[in-house]
Amino acid sequence: MRNPKSDNIKKILSEKKADAFILVSRLNRFWYSNVDVNDGSFIIITQKNSFLFADARDINACKAIACVDSIVESVGYKCFIEFVSALNFKKIIIEDNITLQEYEACIKPLNIACEVYDMKQLRSIKTNEEIVLLQKSADIAVKTIEWVKKTIKAGDTEIDIAKKIHIHMLELGASDLSFSPIVAFGKNGGNPHHVCTKTKLKENDLITLDIGCKFKGYCSDITRTFWIKKPSPEHLYMYNLVKKAQAIGLKAAQVGVSGKEIDKTVRDFIEQDKKYGKLFLHGTGHGVGVEIHEYPNVNRNNNLPMKPNHVITIEPGVYKEGFGGVRIEDTIVISEKGPIILTKKSPK
């Protein structure tokens, strides 16, 4: 089964003049093979073949869906070491997520040249197949947030809405949540990472929902702030400020522009506001993939340029403790033609 991710790995092998790329961590094994198997498994990728080591309990599942050339039934580190030693590799590349225990147990005994590779960079460029899965995950999140908009009513509690979000996402085909939903009513919106409580919704409250799910292992992330009745003039002012800032951020998210530059563009716009300019408390966004927070970050610390098929969020917000807050977030794909918004079907 051809794996489109192998192209980049084979390019790295050529550049580094290495014989094999070895994946050990559960997350990166899943990212490459599409199967989540027990710890103690390995993947070896060479210029000609890819091998997934799995114990007997996982063999049948791996044969059905694993995106590798060969599956090797493994009984632990000894089997792996014997297999690799027989291939007479001169140099290997290992992922940076390997633990010291794993290195001592399965890499060091090989006694061959070894180089560590930064997996967050490798995983940041999404394949077209990954983008399809990210879009499907985003579609579930969008449908859920639009369903909540139509059904939420005064008297509902944050906890009740969070439970309904979880159930609705599973009913739409999600395998899990990508993070615990943030449901914030009224003044609770003044906390960016509010934890749901029994607070009841009042008719004129602002409602902030930050939700996401997993579809076949790929995450989604969307935030909307809205209301069921007319908000106060101050809340509306805050909302319009963030909405404009988010539109500016989406426009700035172009190939070749660094995360720092995107963040600065959004932050400069918010900070010129005399009322709420000092209340943008976090970075403008982050990468999304098999983890909800991946590279590249969209903040003042990332000087590297955006590349085609980077997937990031744009999520400015302002937060006034004891009063409330607003955050608006979309997940986008960076492309040569400008940002492709995966969550565009949810109006703002």
Side-chain angles (χ1 to χ4, degrees):
M1 185 184 296
R2 183 185 177 276
N3 188 331
K5 300 183 183 81
S6 67
D7 294 340
N8 286 335
I9 290 181
K10 289 176 181 179
K11 183 179 178 181
I12 293 166
L13 290 175
S14 294
E15 291 172 350
K16 302 290 185 180
K17 297 181 180 179
D19 299 299
F21 200 119
I22 296 178
L23 300 176
V24 179
S25 70
R26 192 164 190 162
L27 182 68
N28 287 321
R29 285 188 282 107
F30 168 77
W31 164 79
Y32 183 82
S33 69
N34 295 335
V35 291
D36 183 19
V37 296
N38 291 311
D39 290 337
S41 179
F42 310 88
I43 292 177
I44 301 173
I45 306 135
T46 70
Q47 289 288 3
K48 294 183 178 181
N49 293 294
S50 58
F51 306 90
L52 169 63
F53 289 70
D55 69 28
R57 294 169 295 175
D58 296 313
I59 289 293
N60 288 336
C62 291
K63 287 179 178 178
I65 61 174
C67 204
V68 294
D69 297 313
S70 301
I71 298 169
V72 180
E73 185 172 342
S74 171
V75 290
Y77 294 147
K78 182 180 179 181
C79 176
F80 170 80
I81 292 168
E82 290 175 351
F83 187 93
V84 174
S85 298
L87 294 173
N88 295 315
F89 293 150
K90 299 296 187 292
K91 179 182 178 181
I92 60 173
I93 296 176
I94 60 172
E95 59 166 294
D96 57 337
N97 299 80
I98 191 170
T99 67
L100 178 59
Q101 180 183 1
E102 290 165 338
Y103 175 80
E104 294 282 351
C106 67
I107 302 298
K108 189 175 181 179
L110 296 173
N111 197 30
I112 55 179
C114 175
E115 184 172 336
V116 178
Y117 198 84
D118 184 353
M119 287 299 295
K120 71 176 185 291
Q121 295 282 350
L122 180 57
R123 290 200 340 239
S124 71
I125 306 295
K126 304 305 191 276
T127 64
N128 292 335
E129 291 81 0
E130 287 181 291
I131 290 172
V132 168
L133 296 176
L134 287 163
Q135 179 65 76
K136 289 182 177 179
S137 184
D139 289 343
I140 293 172
V142 164
K143 289 177 182 177
T144 300
I145 216 162
E146 291 305 300
W147 174 76
V148 173
K149 286 181 183 179
K150 294 176 182 177
T151 59
I152 198 169
K153 62 186 183 302
D156 287 339
T157 70
E158 294 171 343
I159 289 176
D160 287 341
I161 295 300
K163 289 179 181 178
K164 290 179 180 179
I165 287 169
H166 192 168
I167 294 169
H168 198 74
M169 285 180 163
L170 294 177
E171 289 175 343
L172 290 176
S175 58
D176 199 356
L177 300 180
S178 46
F179 56 93
S180 297
I182 296 175
V183 181
F185 298 159
K187 66 181 182 179
N188 291 343
N191 178 1
H193 284 172
H194 174 67
V195 177
C196 298
T197 68
K198 294 181 180 180
T199 299
K200 292 183 178 182
L201 178 64
K202 299 174 184 176
E203 286 191 340
N204 295 323
D205 280 345
L206 286 188
I207 303 160
T208 296
L209 300 183
D210 186 348
I211 68 172
C213 67
K214 289 184 178 181
F215 179 81
K216 293 187 176 179
Y218 282 80
C219 299
S220 54
D221 198 357
I222 180 174
T223 306
R224 292 291 184 263
T225 301
F226 58 99
W227 50 84
I228 57 175
K229 292 286 186 179
K230 187 177 180 180
S232 71
E234 278 301 301
H235 283 121
L236 191 59
Y237 180 94
M238 178 186 283
Y239 176 84
N240 286 329
L241 173 68
V242 174
K243 185 178 179 181
K244 290 176 183 176
Q246 208 250 354
I248 288 170
L250 291 173
K251 187 176 181 180
Q254 304 288 336
V255 172
V257 180
S258 71
K260 181 177 182 178
E261 290 172 303
I262 299 170
D263 181 79
K264 185 177 187 303
T265 299
V266 175
R267 198 168 300 280
D268 284 351
F269 175 78
I270 292 177
E271 288 183 349
Q272 54 79 36
D273 185 81
K274 293 181 180 179
K275 288 185 177 180
Y276 300 112
K278 296 182 180 180
L279 300 180
F280 184 13
L281 306 177
H282 52 73
T284 296
H286 56 85
V288 179
V290 291
E291 291 184 286
I292 191 57
H293 290 102
E294 291 197 342
Y295 181 84
N297 289 314
V298 187
N299 60 29
R300 62 188 71 190
N301 297 318
N302 183 15
N303 290 306
L304 297 177
M306 293 292 153
K307 297 179 180 179
N309 283 23
H310 273 158
V311 176
I312 62 171
T313 65
I314 299 294
E315 51 177 302
V318 292
Y319 312 91
K320 185 176 180 180
E321 187 176 358
F323 176 72
V326 173
R327 181 165 66 254
I328 301 173
E329 174 187 25
D330 284 300
T331 301
I332 67 172
V333 180
I334 300 292
S335 82
E336 295 286 2
K337 296 181 179 180
I340 300 168
I341 304 174
L342 300 181
T343 47
K344 67 180 179 180
K345 292 184 179 179
S346 178
K348 290 169 272 189

